[in-house]
Amino acid sequence: MSGKYLLKRIILLFPGLFMVVFLAFLLKNLVPGDPVETIMLNRGMSWQDAALRTSEYSKIYISEGLNKPLFYFSVLPDHYPPNIRSITDPEQNKEISFLLKNGYPYPNILEFLNLKNNMEKNGSATNASYPADSLAHLILQKEPLPEKALSAILAEKWTGNSRPTSCIQILENMISNRKSWFLPSFHFYGTNNQFHDYFKGLLKLDFGLSSKDGKKVTDKIFSALKWTSTLVFFSMMILALVSIPLGLWSGRYENGKLDIWTGNLSIILYAIPVFWLASMLIIFCTTDQYGWWLHIFPSVGTWYDVPGSSFLQNLAKHASQLILPVLCMVANDFAFLIRLIKKQTIEQKHQLYVKMAIAKGLDEKSILTRHILPNVGIQILSVFTGSIPAAFAGSLIVEVIFNIPGMGRLLYHSINSSDWNVVFGILIVLAFLTIMINIIGDLMYVRLNPKISYHD
Amino acid sequence: MIEREVHSRNKLIKIIVLLFIFGVILVPFLANDKAILCFCPDGISMPVFQKSSVDRRQADQKCSFCVFPPIRYTAYQIDLENSGYTGPFDAQKIPSIYHRHWLGTDKIGRDVAAGLLYGARNSLLTGFLSMILGLLLGVPTGMILGYFQDNTTRWNVLQIFSFLIFVFFIIFYAVYLPWGEWNSLLLFITLTVIYIVSFRFLAKLKLKKYYIPVDLLGYRLLEWRKSIPALFLLLALLSLISKPSVLSVIIIIGLLAWADIARMIRAETLSIKTRPYVLSGIAMGMNHQQILKKYILPGLSDTILVIAVYMFAGAILTESTLSFLGLGLPADEVSWGKMLSESRQARAWWMAVFPGLCLVSLLYYLNRFTNQKFYS
């Protein structure tokens, strides 16, 4: 029973993961900005010489695999070339894309660009300077120019040999071949494409290189994941240790003093955004500025790992600085969890087995802990496991504020420096964690609760 | 019981309308460097509505009597005399007691109290508009998923085929046609009309029909979206936009809220669908459109209201979180979140306490309403 259910869940996992990877890949290619430019900027490369720069650009372009097509197949309008990404020169690529978008067929564009280049080269030498820019301007206009006007302009400005006729011929061809109606055509590329490489890398846990410093993204993510999971672990522990006794107690003594106090406090805590709580605590409770008695927590310091020391040693060194972040992370969740446990406790209190336990003469403490708690626990387990992914997400703000080198801070800094391999790597890792935790939660629920069975 | 619910609903609507009047309309009358009303030798004037910034001191001297707003600064106005984090209790270089910065200033000398009011306007507007966008997209989606499920819609092969072709062409032209031209819009309309006409025609053909698993496909999509934490996805989506504006923030928050709204509406539709009055409608031979409009939608109205308030609070929180992280509203807009993030760098307590209190009290009241509804 359980095995079949497990198998079904695992099989259903793959389309979900594939979709996440696909989404991440799509977003990675949609972000504005030139990835090669970002790499050059982040690595501090700059050239005075334009030719050298172009050659270096195309080197990085090819080494990053950007010259390959995006996906296994593509649907393009029929006047497009099969793979426009194989043009490494960014200026030329931009120009061609623009002309293609305006409906000019690819062969004509190549002719036109060739003509333009020749003109630019010969312009100064033959003194027959037809400004290439204004020629391009003519072409880029949306309405086809009247033939007469075009030839008049060309005849006027161009002096010398027989070029004008061929020039006019090329321009006229281009204008008359302009498409006003795009029809789709299919192109198949096989496995030599960017998505295939990306996916293959993911299977080997390789997310590529960070464009910021050239380090492996995988190493970066996993060293950050350690800190984030530490935070999440401690916050979950505190959440369980505080909310279960409080919830049980306020359920047992409904409308008692403790119940009312925790109820009110948790509603207020629920409305406080994490970032405000964190800023207030940092401003008031980490300095002597507002009185020595308010200096309760250590100030938010810089984090550095001593080379050669293990993760646990680092953790021990920074442990005091983790107190505030963990407090801030759990503050919001108390309200919901305490309320849920209280509700469940009240529900369980009136069940027959409790009356039976009372009739047996058990004392109150053992009824609460040995009879009611397991039943409440099963009910809140799914909520608890559901809040773990939320805690991973919620750690972002806390990490940014408290400067903890975790995944959230990594994501934040990577977005600011356009390091997309890291950003979307984190997105995929988080989605994987979320899905896995949900599956584990469901399985535990099935395992612990004999009443529930998933037959199919 | 019902009376109380209606009462609380009316109260809620009233409060939202009041918040809106306060936030969007009244703000310029509460914090402004121009006078509201001036009795001058050349008649009564209302400088608030004048766009040109005349030197107010001169105008004051000319006019016999002027009514000023309680806060004499706009949120965008820079007071160079009191720049560099002047606290509420610090000595301020001001011409009169009326010009005092009651809640202090920020680094470049903008008034915090005025910032709170203008920030409230931005927060409310972002929250409200993104909520509306989320509801407009999420409610129909949730209703369709919950109502049609997997065993209601039946299409024949040609219908499925034509649907796929239609979707293919729409995506193809959306990607490759230059946007913002009238002929591409015309193309989309023609395509849609052709599709609808041909679809109606194909439905009449006597071919074998198959069930369309609407719910299965749609719900899977919603679940996949849920597997990526919202805040992370939000940040990734925001980075797609090279120049963030208020509108782009609204659209992205609304789009992300869409999936959550659809999930909740779907669950509620599933329970409403089994109620006797809906069954009676089906028995009477009403078509799907009528049932959805006349039975399901009115039944959902309470849930929609609760979801709306919940999403409103959520959108305000998200917007201020984004602004706090420096990724939300553009740099020249005021926002509570932005003031809070500035307070952290400068350790200026007045810039942390007051915007935070505003945010917490707004969220607290909105949460209380949803809590009452959820737990009653």
Side-chain angles (χ1 to χ4, degrees):
Chain A
M1 170 208 83
S2 191
K4 220 174 182 184
Y5 174 68
L6 180 70
L7 199 71
K8 193 189 166 192
R9 286 302 298 258
I10 287 173
I11 289 169
L12 273 178
L13 180 100
F14 289 108
L17 272 178
F18 183 82
M19 281 299 287
V20 170
V21 171
F22 186 74
L23 181 77
F25 182 75
L26 195 74
L27 290 179
K28 200 175 98 152
N29 281 290
L30 278 177
V31 283
D34 189 341
V36 182
E37 291 279 350
T38 315
I39 290 172
M40 284 158 96
L41 198 73
N42 281 333
R43 294 184 189 164
M45 298 170 168
S46 63
W47 287 273
Q48 299 294 323
D49 187 10
L52 202 65
R53 186 193 150 84
T54 316
S55 78
E56 192 64 29
Y57 185 98
S58 59
K59 219 183 265 171
I60 296 177
Y61 191 86
I62 290 168
S63 73
E64 291 288 304
L66 293 168
N67 57 337
K68 292 177 186 176
L70 274 188
F71 201 58
Y72 296 100
F73 63 89
S74 73
V75 183
L76 294 167
D78 54 358
H79 63 276
Y80 273 55
N83 181 18
I84 196 178
R85 280 160 205 282
S86 57
I87 301 157
T88 52
D89 186 6
E91 289 300 317
Q92 208 182 355
N93 198 326
K94 217 182 274 171
E95 220 162 19
I96 293 178
S97 308
F98 183 76
L99 289 169
L100 283 172
K101 197 142 208 186
N102 279 302
Y104 296 106
Y106 186 57
N108 294 68
I109 291 172
L110 285 186
E111 270 180 357
F112 166 66
L113 287 180
N114 204 8
L115 174 77
K116 201 183 131 192
N117 279 343
N118 280 341
M119 282 177 165
E120 271 167 2
K121 255 184 216 161
N122 302 338
S124 56
T126 56
N127 205 13
S129 59
Y130 185 85
D133 282 340
S134 59
L135 186 68
H137 180 73
L138 284 182
I139 283 290
L140 298 183
Q141 283 195 339
K142 284 181 182 148
E143 296 304 315
L145 270 180
E147 197 184 314
K148 273 183 193 168
L150 188 66
S151 51
I153 292 167
L154 286 170
E156 197 182 317
K157 296 246 174 165
W158 192 279
T159 51
N161 47 29
S162 63
R163 277 200 182 183
T165 46
S166 67
C167 173
I168 289 170
Q169 192 61 43
I170 288 169
L171 288 176
E172 274 176 357
N173 273 345
M174 188 160 170
I175 288 167
S176 63
N177 285 348
R178 187 178 177 219
K179 304 261 175 175
S180 51
W181 182 254
F182 293 3
L183 285 175
S185 69
F186 289 87
H187 298 274
F188 288 93
Y189 303 114
T191 53
N192 189 23
N193 62 56
Q194 288 186 41
F195 183 76
H196 188 79
D197 292 352
Y198 191 65
F199 200 74
K200 225 164 59 184
L202 286 191
L203 293 182
K204 285 185 267 175
L205 273 183
D206 175 20
F207 293 92
L209 299 179
S210 159
S211 65
K212 195 177 180 183
D213 45 16
K215 280 184 193 160
K216 272 190 176 173
V217 174
T218 321
D219 297 346
K220 275 184 142 182
I221 290 179
F222 282 99
S223 69
L225 188 61
K226 273 185 216 158
W227 285 108
T228 307
S229 26
T230 312
L231 263 184
V232 171
F233 176 73
F234 280 122
S235 63
M236 285 293 130
M237 290 288 281
I238 287 181
L239 196 62
L241 287 178
V242 174
S243 64
I244 291 176
L246 276 180
L248 274 179
W249 195 264
S250 49
R252 167 69 187 81
Y253 299 103
E254 203 188 344
N255 292 330
K257 230 177 209 173
L258 188 85
D259 179 25
I260 290 167
W261 272 97
T262 51
N264 287 339
L265 193 71
S266 59
I267 287 178
I268 293 171
L269 272 181
Y270 183 65
I272 296 180
V274 180
F275 59 88
W276 187 54
L277 187 65
S279 334
M280 292 295 279
L281 285 173
I282 287 178
I283 288 171
F284 288 107
C285 298
T286 61
T287 54
D288 281 340
Q289 204 177 340
Y290 303 100
W292 59 268
W293 48 274
L294 264 177
H295 192 168
I296 304 164
F297 301 105
S299 51
V300 180
T302 47
W303 291 64
Y304 57 92
D305 294 346
V306 181
S309 59
S310 71
F311 176 69
L312 283 177
Q313 280 170 326
N314 280 326
L315 187 65
K317 205 175 81 186
H318 297 299
S320 65
Q321 288 190 20
L322 281 176
I323 300 170
L324 258 187
V326 169
L327 277 183
C328 291
M329 271 178 76
V330 291
N332 270 197
D333 295 337
F334 278 139
F336 184 65
L337 213 61
I338 288 177
R339 192 171 216 159
L340 195 82
I341 296 169
K342 180 188 150 192
K343 210 176 134 197
Q344 290 292 337
T345 312
I346 292 167
E347 213 170 84
Q348 299 291 336
K349 215 162 65 173
H350 303 296
Q351 300 281 333
L352 279 178
Y353 70 85
V354 178
K355 281 182 186 150
M356 170 77 182
I358 295 169
K360 274 200 296 190
L362 293 180
D363 62 322
E364 218 171 79
K365 195 183 150 201
S366 67
I367 293 175
L368 262 183
T369 51
R370 312 229 4 218
H371 291 262
I372 292 181
L373 184 60
N375 283 294
V376 171
I378 289 171
Q379 300 299 321
I380 63 166
L381 185 75
S382 59
V383 177
F384 204 74
T385 49
S387 68
I388 293 175
F392 269 102
S395 69
L396 188 145
I397 302 160
V398 169
E399 280 169 17
V400 172
I401 295 176
F402 290 99
N403 214 16
I404 301 167
M407 265 206 313
R409 200 188 70 153
L410 184 63
L411 181 100
Y412 179 69
H413 286 307
S414 304
I415 283 179
N416 282 342
S417 60
S418 312
D419 198 349
W420 303 119
N421 271 346
V422 179
V423 172
F424 296 108
I426 289 174
L427 224 58
I428 291 170
V429 168
L430 260 184
F432 182 72
L433 277 178
T434 310
I435 294 173
M436 289 315 285
I437 289 168
N438 282 340
I439 286 184
I440 291 170
D442 284 2
L443 286 178
M444 272 164 74
Y445 191 60
V446 176
R447 192 114 190 111
L448 290 178
N449 194 351
K451 275 190 212 163
I452 287 181
S453 60
Y454 293 100
H455 285 296
D456 48 350
Chain B
M1 177 71 188
I2 293 168
E3 231 170 68
R4 231 180 72 200
E5 280 207 348
V6 170
H7 178 70
S8 82
R9 186 199 300 171
N10 289 346
K11 204 170 147 196
L12 183 65
I13 291 171
K14 225 180 272 172
I15 281 184
I16 287 182
V17 169
L18 274 180
L19 268 177
F20 239 79
I21 291 173
F22 165 75
V24 180
I25 301 165
L26 270 184
V27 162
F29 295 94
L30 288 175
N32 212 325
D33 54 332
K34 298 170 204 155
I36 299 171
L37 204 65
C38 266
F39 299 97
C40 303
D42 48 342
I44 300 167
S45 66
M46 293 186 83
V48 183
F49 295 112
Q50 291 163 4
K51 277 224 161 169
S52 58
S53 59
V54 202
D55 189 3
R56 288 317 318 160
R57 297 242 170 94
Q58 279 184 354
D60 287 355
Q61 283 160 5
K62 250 194 271 166
C63 299
S64 57
F65 180 67
C66 278
V67 182
F68 277 102
I71 298 162
R72 300 211 173 176
Y73 302 93
T74 64
Y76 308 98
Q77 197 179 353
I78 295 164
D79 185 1
L80 289 174
E81 302 275 300
N82 297 303
S83 60
Y85 304 111
T86 312
F89 304 123
D90 297 351
Q92 296 176 355
K93 289 173 200 153
I94 38 176
S96 74
I97 186 83
Y98 300 114
H99 286 83
R100 196 175 167 76
H101 299 281
W102 295 106
L103 300 183
T105 64
D106 69 356
K107 191 180 179 187
I108 55 173
R110 289 176 298 191
D111 191 57
V112 171
L116 283 186
L117 289 168
Y118 282 78
R121 185 165 73 170
N122 274 338
S123 285
L124 291 173
L125 211 65
T126 334
F128 189 75
L129 290 180
S130 50
M131 173 198 84
I132 294 282
L133 180 69
L135 285 181
L136 281 181
L137 292 169
V139 171
T141 318
M143 274 167 71
I144 287 170
L145 293 190
Y147 180 76
F148 287 106
Q149 284 188 284
D150 298 339
N151 53 7
T152 314
T153 331
R154 297 180 73 195
W155 288 355
N156 62 35
V157 188
L158 289 178
Q159 273 175 306
I160 298 170
F161 204 60
S162 73
F163 177 75
L164 291 179
I165 288 179
F166 172 69
V167 170
F168 170 77
F169 270 99
I170 286 288
I171 293 174
F172 176 74
Y173 284 119
V175 172
Y176 289 111
L177 273 192
W179 278 93
E181 280 183 35
W182 64 271
N183 49 0
S184 47
L185 187 71
L186 202 70
L187 183 77
F188 281 115
I189 293 171
T190 340
L191 267 178
T192 318
V193 169
I194 292 174
Y195 168 68
I196 290 172
V197 170
S198 63
F199 192 79
R200 291 257 164 105
F201 170 73
L202 291 173
K204 284 174 190 158
L205 296 178
K206 281 182 181 157
L207 289 167
K208 198 191 168 198
K209 294 198 170 184
Y210 299 94
Y211 286 115
I212 305 294
V214 182
D215 191 35
L216 189 78
L217 298 175
Y219 196 62
R220 274 277 153 257
L221 272 180
L222 295 185
E223 275 200 330
W224 286 335
R225 147 64 196 86
K226 207 184 149 200
S227 66
I228 302 178
L231 188 60
F232 283 62
L233 191 58
L234 200 71
L235 294 185
L237 283 178
L238 270 175
S239 54
L240 293 189
I241 296 157
S242 41
K243 255 189 195 165
S245 65
V246 182
L247 192 69
S248 64
V249 173
I250 289 171
I251 289 175
I252 287 179
I253 295 176
L255 282 180
L256 278 194
W258 174 27
D260 283 333
I261 293 174
R263 202 176 308 116
M264 288 190 251
I265 292 285
R266 174 186 169 273
E268 193 64 23
T269 311
L270 281 177
S271 82
I272 288 177
K273 207 189 147 186
T274 54
R275 290 190 190 160
Y277 65 88
V278 179
L279 293 179
S280 80
I282 296 170
M284 268 155 57
M286 294 168 89
N287 61 22
H288 297 318
Q289 223 171 341
Q290 282 170 321
I291 292 171
L292 279 174
K293 212 188 278 172
K294 287 192 179 157
Y295 291 133
I296 309 257
L297 193 59
L300 281 174
S301 64
D302 254 21
T303 318
I304 292 177
L305 192 75
V306 175
I307 290 175
V309 178
Y310 180 71
M311 285 295 152
F312 186 49
I316 288 173
L317 181 62
T318 312
E319 184 271 313
S320 52
T321 308
L322 288 178
S323 300
F324 182 80
L325 292 174
L327 295 162
L329 299 182
D332 53 339
E333 289 291 339
V334 238
S335 155
W336 292 341
K338 224 172 265 178
M339 294 166 93
L340 284 172
S341 82
E342 209 180 320
S343 78
R344 194 165 54 91
Q345 293 150 9
R347 291 179 178 271
W349 62 268
W350 55 94
M351 290 188 65
V353 174
F354 302 120
L357 280 180
C358 288
L359 189 61
V360 169
S361 47
L362 183 61
L363 291 178
Y364 176 73
Y365 279 105
L366 291 175
N367 284 341
R368 231 179 53 168
F369 270 105
T370 48
N371 279 350
Q372 276 173 3
K373 284 276 184 181
F374 272 135
Y375 292 99
S376 67

